[in-house]
C-alpha cells in the first residue's frame, strides 16, 4: 500500500505551564473584540479574572458569556449568539472544559453564517471560515481544542449530535496544565479516560485507501502514519500518568502528561476519527445520562477484544507504548494491552460493565441498533460490524464478559 496521510490542526498550539499568559498576545493577532464562552464555575475564579484583565490591558474588548452548560444544550447556543451579536465580536475565545470549547465553536459558526445549529449537523455543512477561535481547555480530555467537531445535545433528538468541519478547528489552542489542577479526581479520571479512548480508537481505526477525494469528502478518514504518531504519544503519556493525576491531583508532572496526552489524542482522532466504543456510547449515554468519557471508557476493553484479531500488531504496539515490554509474542502483547487498559480504568474508578453504567437489560437491542446506525464511526472500526455482532458486543459489555466480546 502506498503511503497516504492527512492531518488538520490549529495554526498555533501552545502547551506548557504558564502558557495561558500568552492569551492576550495571541488574541491581539486575531482581532480586538472577543466573545468569551465559559461557565459559572470558571467565571468566578481569580484565574479567570486575571485572564480578563490581561486581555483588557492589551486593548481587547470582551463580552463574557458565562452560562455554558455541560453537553451544550442546543438552545443555549442560540441564546449566547443573540446576546453577543450586538457586541459584534471579531473572535471567539472558549475557556473551560469541552463543553465551553464546543459552545465557542458553535457560537463562532452561527455568528459567521447565521441560521440554526440544525442546519450544520453532520459533515462538511459549514460553508466557509468562521470567526477565528482560541481554545483554552481547563480539562484534560476531549481534545476539542484541536478537533474539527463540536458535540451538542438537541432536545428533538435522543442521541447527541456533531457538527464536523475543518472550519471549526480553532486558530490557536493554548494548553496550560495549571488550569487543570482544580479538576477533582472523578473529572480527571473521566476526561483522561475519554482521551485514552480517543488515542486507542484512532490508533486502531480502519486504514483507508486514500484517493484524492477521501479527505475532501470526509472529516474523519481513518488512521495514517501522522495520526499514529500522535496516538502513540498520547497512549504513552496517559498510560504513565493518568492514574497518578487521579490519586494526587497536585502532581504537576502528572497533570502535564495527562493534558499533553489529551491534546495529542485530539490531534490523532481529529483526523483519524473514533469507532465502535464511541458509537455504542451515544445511545448508552442517552439512556443512562452518564458522562461521555465514562461510557466510552467502560466500553473500550470490550471493543479492543472484539477488534483484537484484526488489529493484533497495533495492539501489540499499544502494549509497548504502555510500557509492557516483557517480551511475549504479538498475540500475548495485544492481550496484555487490553488487560492493562481494563486495569487502569478500573483503578481510576471507571465502571466496568454497561450494567454498572445503569443501562437497562431490555434496552440492549435498541442500543445495538442505534450504534450500528452511526455509519461514520462503524465504518471506521477495524473489524467490520453487523447488527448481530454489535448485539453480541453490547451484551458482552453488559455482562462483563471480556472473552465473549472477541467471539
Ligand atoms: N469537540 C470534541 O472534539 C469533543 C470530543 C469529546 C467530547 N466532547 C464533548 O465535550 C463535553 C465534555 O467535556 P469535558 O469532559 O471537558 O467536561 P465539561 O466541559 O462538560 O465540564 C464538566 C464539568 O467540569 C467542570 N470543570 C471544567 N474544568 C474544571 C476545572 N479545571 N476544575 C474543576 N472543574 C472543572 C465544569 O465546570 C463542568 O461542571 C461533552 O459534551 C462531550 O460530548 C467534545
Ligand atoms: Fe470521546
Amino acid at each position: 500500500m502506498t503511503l497516504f496521510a492527512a492531518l488538520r490542526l490549529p495554526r498555533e498550539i501552545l502547551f506548557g505551564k504558564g502558557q495561558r499568559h500568552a492569551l492576550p498576545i495571541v488574541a491581539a493577532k486575531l482581532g480586538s473584540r472577543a466573545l468569551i464562552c465559559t461557565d459559572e464555575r470558571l467565571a468566578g475564579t481569580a484565574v479567570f479574572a486575571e485572564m480578563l484583565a490581561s486581555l483588557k490591558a492589551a486593548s481587547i474588548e470582551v463580552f463574557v458569556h458565562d452560562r455554558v452548560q455541560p453537553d451544550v444544550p442546543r438552545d443555549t447556543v442560540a441564546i449566547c449568539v443573540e446576546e453577543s451579536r450586538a457586541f459584534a465580536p471579531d473572535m471567539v475565545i472558549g475557556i473551560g472544559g469541552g463543553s465551553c470549547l464546543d459552545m465557542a465553536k458553535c457560537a463562532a459558526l452561527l455568528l459567521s453564517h447565521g441560521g440554526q445549529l440544525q442546519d450544520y449537523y453532520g459533515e462538511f455543512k459549514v460553508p466557509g471560515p468562521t470567526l477565528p477561535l482560541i481554545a483554552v481547555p481547563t480539562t484534560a480530555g476531549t481534545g476539542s481544542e484541536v478537533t474539527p467537531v463540536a458535540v451538542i445535545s438537541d432536545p428533538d433528538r435522543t442521541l447527541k449530535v456533531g457538527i464536523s468541519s475543518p472550519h471549526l478547528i480553532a486558530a490557536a489552542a493554548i494548553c496550560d496544565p495549571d488550569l487543570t489542577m482544580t479538576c477533582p479526581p472523578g473529572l480527571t479520571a473521566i476526561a483522561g479516560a475519554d482521551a485514552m479512548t480517543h488515542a486507542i480508537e484512532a490508533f486502531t481505526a480502519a486504514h483507508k485507501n486514500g484517493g484524492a477525494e477521501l479527505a475532501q469528502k470526509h472529516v474523519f478518514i481513518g488512521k495514517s502514519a501522522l495520526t499514529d504518531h500522535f496516538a502513540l504519544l498520547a497512549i504513552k503519556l496517559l498510560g504513565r500518568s493518568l492514574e497518578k493525576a487521579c490519586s494526587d491531583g497536585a502532581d504537576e508532572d502528572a497533570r502535564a502528561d495527562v493534558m499533553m496526552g489529551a491534546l495529542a489524542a485530539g490531534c490523532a482522532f481529529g483526523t483519524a476519527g473514533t469507532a465502535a466504543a464511541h458509537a455504542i456510547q451515544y445511545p448508552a449515554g442517552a439512556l443512562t445520562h452518564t458522562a461521555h468519557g465514562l461510557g466510552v471508557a467502560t466500553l473500550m476493553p470490550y471493543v479492543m477484544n472484539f477488534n483484537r484479531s484484526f488489529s493484533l500488531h497495533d495492539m501489540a504496539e499499544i502494549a509497548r507504548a504502555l510500557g509492557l515490554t516483557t517480551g511475549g509474542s504479538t498475540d500475548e502483547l495485544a492481550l496484555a494491552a487490553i488487560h492493562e487498559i481494563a486495569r487502569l480504568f478500573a483503578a481510576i474508578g471507571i465502571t466496568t460493565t454497561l450494567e454498572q453504567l445503569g443501562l437497562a437489560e431490555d434496552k440492549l437491542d435498541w442500543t445495538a441498533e442505534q450504534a450500528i446506525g452511526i455509519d461514520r464511526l462503524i465504518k471506521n472500526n477495524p473489524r467490520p460490524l453487523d447488527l448481530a455482532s454489535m448485539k453480541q458486543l453490547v451484551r458482552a459489555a453488559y455482562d462483563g464478559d471480556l472473552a465473549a466480546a472477541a467471539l
Side-chain angles (χ1 to χ4, degrees):
M1 195 182 288
T2 55
L3 207 51
F4 162 77
L7 204 58
R8 297 178 174 118
L9 291 173
R11 281 198 294 279
E12 189 167 7
I13 298 175
L14 302 171
F15 182 94
K17 185 178 171 63
Q19 284 297 321
R20 67 183 182 283
H21 300 303
L23 177 62
I25 306 168
V26 172
K29 289 187 276 185
L30 297 175
S32 59
R33 300 177 68 78
L35 162 64
I36 298 182
C37 298
T38 190
D39 60 17
E40 282 178 333
R41 181 203 68 84
L42 191 72
T45 63
V47 167
F48 184 75
E50 218 180 82
M51 288 167 104
L52 269 193
S54 73
L55 286 166
K56 287 177 187 162
S59 303
I60 293 168
E61 300 276 324
V62 299
F63 181 96
V64 179
H65 175 84
D66 63 3
R67 273 167 295 137
V68 176
Q69 290 170 30
D71 304 321
V72 198
R74 182 194 69 194
D75 298 337
T76 64
V77 178
I79 293 169
C80 168
V81 168
E82 279 321 302
E83 285 179 1
S84 58
R85 201 182 290 282
F87 172 74
D90 56 15
M91 77 180 103
V92 183
I93 304 176
I95 312 179
S99 299
C100 294
L101 307 190
D102 286 0
M103 169 65 105
K105 288 175 175 179
C106 292
L109 165 59
L110 291 191
L111 284 165
S112 306
H113 296 292
Q116 297 180 307
L117 225 40
Q118 303 80 301
D119 303 338
Y120 305 101
Y121 292 170
E123 279 195 313
F124 276 115
K125 300 267 174 60
V126 179
T130 69
L131 291 181
L133 185 84
I134 304 175
V136 187
T138 64
T139 58
T142 69
S144 181
E145 63 273 17
V146 291
T147 68
V149 58
V151 184
I152 65 145
S153 37
D154 183 323
D156 297 331
R157 301 199 180 202
T158 314
L159 308 192
K160 285 171 93 175
V161 282
I163 300 174
S164 307
S165 162
H167 293 305
L168 292 190
I169 297 174
I174 302 178
C175 307
D176 186 335
D178 277 357
L179 295 175
T180 67
M181 298 300 286
T182 49
C183 290
L187 178 62
T188 306
I190 288 173
D194 187 22
M196 179 64 104
T197 304
H198 293 156
I200 293 171
E201 292 222 282
F203 191 65
T204 55
H207 194 301
K208 310 261 170 67
N209 189 3
E213 290 194 339
L214 178 65
Q216 307 313 318
K217 289 202 168 149
H218 297 283
V219 176
F220 301 110
I221 56 173
K223 80 197 245 94
S224 73
L226 291 176
T227 60
D228 284 356
H229 177 74
F230 284 109
L232 279 181
L233 173 64
I235 292 166
K236 181 175 139 198
L237 294 171
L238 293 163
R240 82 175 178 205
S241 292
L242 180 54
E243 209 173 334
K244 234 183 282 171
C246 293
S247 63
D248 179 9
D251 184 327
E252 290 194 356
D253 292 336
R255 289 288 195 187
D257 273 4
V258 172
M259 191 177 216
M260 174 78 90
L263 166 67
C267 294
F269 97 86
T271 305
T274 54
H278 274 75
I280 302 170
Q281 191 281 334
Y282 272 88
L287 290 174
T288 58
H289 304 289
T290 45
H292 168 86
L294 187 65
V296 289
T298 300
L299 288 155
M300 192 72 259
Y302 304 99
V303 171
M304 287 177 85
N305 214 26
F306 176 79
N307 288 335
R308 178 161 52 104
S309 56
F310 284 68
S311 304
L312 267 185
H313 288 279
D314 286 340
M315 291 207 193
E317 205 151 338
I318 289 173
R320 288 183 203 102
L322 290 170
L324 308 172
T325 50
T326 50
S329 65
T330 304
D331 287 19
E332 285 164 346
L333 274 173
L335 200 56
I338 297 170
H339 287 299
E340 172 56 14
I341 291 298
R343 185 208 64 75
L344 168 64
F345 284 177
I348 61 173
I350 301 295
T351 48
T352 55
T353 67
L354 284 179
E355 185 181 16
Q356 279 179 25
L357 193 71
L359 193 67
E361 193 170 10
D362 62 1
K363 293 289 184 204
L364 294 184
D365 283 355
W366 182 86
T367 301
E369 283 154 18
Q370 294 294 312
I372 202 78
I374 310 178
D375 211 35
R376 72 190 155 84
L377 297 175
I378 296 302
K379 276 202 289 209
N380 217 22
N381 200 65
R383 177 174 169 183
L385 275 151
D386 57 16
L387 183 57
S389 52
M390 179 56 96
K391 281 186 178 175
Q392 198 174 315
L393 174 55
V394 169
R395 165 55 76 177
Y398 180 86
D399 289 342
D401 190 342
L402 195 61
L407 298 176

